[in-house]
Amino acid sequence: PGVLIMDLFLQRAFDGLTNGAIYAIIAMAVVIVFKASGILNLAQGEMAMFSTYIAYVLIVDLGLAVWLGIGMAVILSMGAGAAIERVLIRPLETKSVLATVVVPVGLFVLLNALAGGIWTFQTRGFPSPFPNDLDDFIEVNGARLRYSAIGTWAVVLATFGAVVARQLDVNPARNGPLS
C-alpha cells in the first residue's frame, strides 16, 4: 500500500507541475501585456485560442510539420497582435477606464464567435510537438513522467529565462523580472 501511495503521489506531482507550468506561462503573458500597455487584455485567452486554431489548420489540415506549423502560427499571430494593439488597444490610452474594459471584452466575444463560426465549437486534440505515444515516458518510482511533460517544462523554463534575461538587459537596476 505504501508503494502505491508514493506512485500516486509522484504521478499527481508530475501532472500538477505540468499544469502549473502552463498556468505560469499564461500568467506571465498577462503580466507582460499589462506592463507594456497598461491595459488588462481580457481577450488574451481568446487570442491564444485563435492562434492555436491557426496552428492546428497549418499542421492537421495542411500537413506541415508540428514545429513549422507552430512557428508559422506564432509569426502570423504576432502580426495580428501588433495590428490589434495599434488599431484597438493603443487608442485606449487616452480614453476612459470603461473603454479599456469594453474594447477587450468586445474582442473576446468577437474572437470566440469567429472561431466557433469557422471551426465549430467541437473540442479537438492538438498534435504534440513532443513524443506522446503511450510508451513515451520515463518511469520514476512507478510513476510515469511523460516526455510531453518534460518538453512543456523545458519550453516554459526557456521562455521564462528569456523574459528574465531580456528584462535584466533592458533595465539592470530593477530588482526583479517584470517589476
Side-chain angles (χ1 to χ4, degrees):
V3 173
L4 291 177
I5 291 172
M6 183 53 76
D7 294 357
L8 184 59
F9 172 77
L10 281 174
Q11 189 64 58
R12 295 301 175 253
F14 294 153
D15 295 342
L17 286 170
T18 303
N19 290 338
I22 293 167
Y23 286 128
I25 203 162
I26 292 168
M28 185 173 60
V30 169
V31 169
I32 289 170
V33 169
F34 179 74
K35 288 288 196 172
S37 69
I39 295 172
L40 182 60
N41 185 356
L42 301 173
Q44 199 163 339
E46 302 308 294
M47 293 170 74
M49 175 264 310
F50 208 87
S51 300
T52 303
Y53 269 116
I54 291 170
Y56 181 87
V57 167
L58 293 171
I59 296 164
V60 175
D61 295 346
L62 298 181
L64 295 181
V66 175
W67 284 108
L68 179 61
I70 290 172
M72 288 180 66
V74 165
I75 292 168
L76 292 169
S77 299
M78 286 170 48
I84 288 169
E85 192 275 336
R86 289 291 176 179
V87 173
L88 296 177
I89 304 299
R90 172 91 36 115
L92 296 178
E93 291 176 352
T94 59
K95 303 296 181 203
S96 70
V97 174
L98 182 61
T100 64
V101 174
V102 170
V103 170
V105 168
L107 183 60
F108 176 102
V109 172
L110 174 70
L111 289 174
N112 197 317
L114 191 58
I118 295 170
W119 296 292
T120 73
F121 292 100
Q122 182 180 359
T123 304
R124 298 169 190 201
F126 191 86
S128 177
F130 308 108
N132 200 29
D133 288 333
L134 292 176
D135 59 347
D136 287 335
F137 63 88
I138 300 168
E139 190 166 325
V140 179
N141 290 337
R144 294 178 175 184
L145 177 56
R146 304 200 55 79
Y147 295 140
S148 58
I150 296 169
T152 300
W153 298 348
V155 167
V156 169
L157 287 173
T159 303
F160 184 74
V163 168
V164 169
R166 174 73 176 133
Q167 183 68 17
L168 293 175
D169 184 46
V170 169
N171 191 348
R174 289 202 171 169
N175 293 330
L178 308 176
S179 58

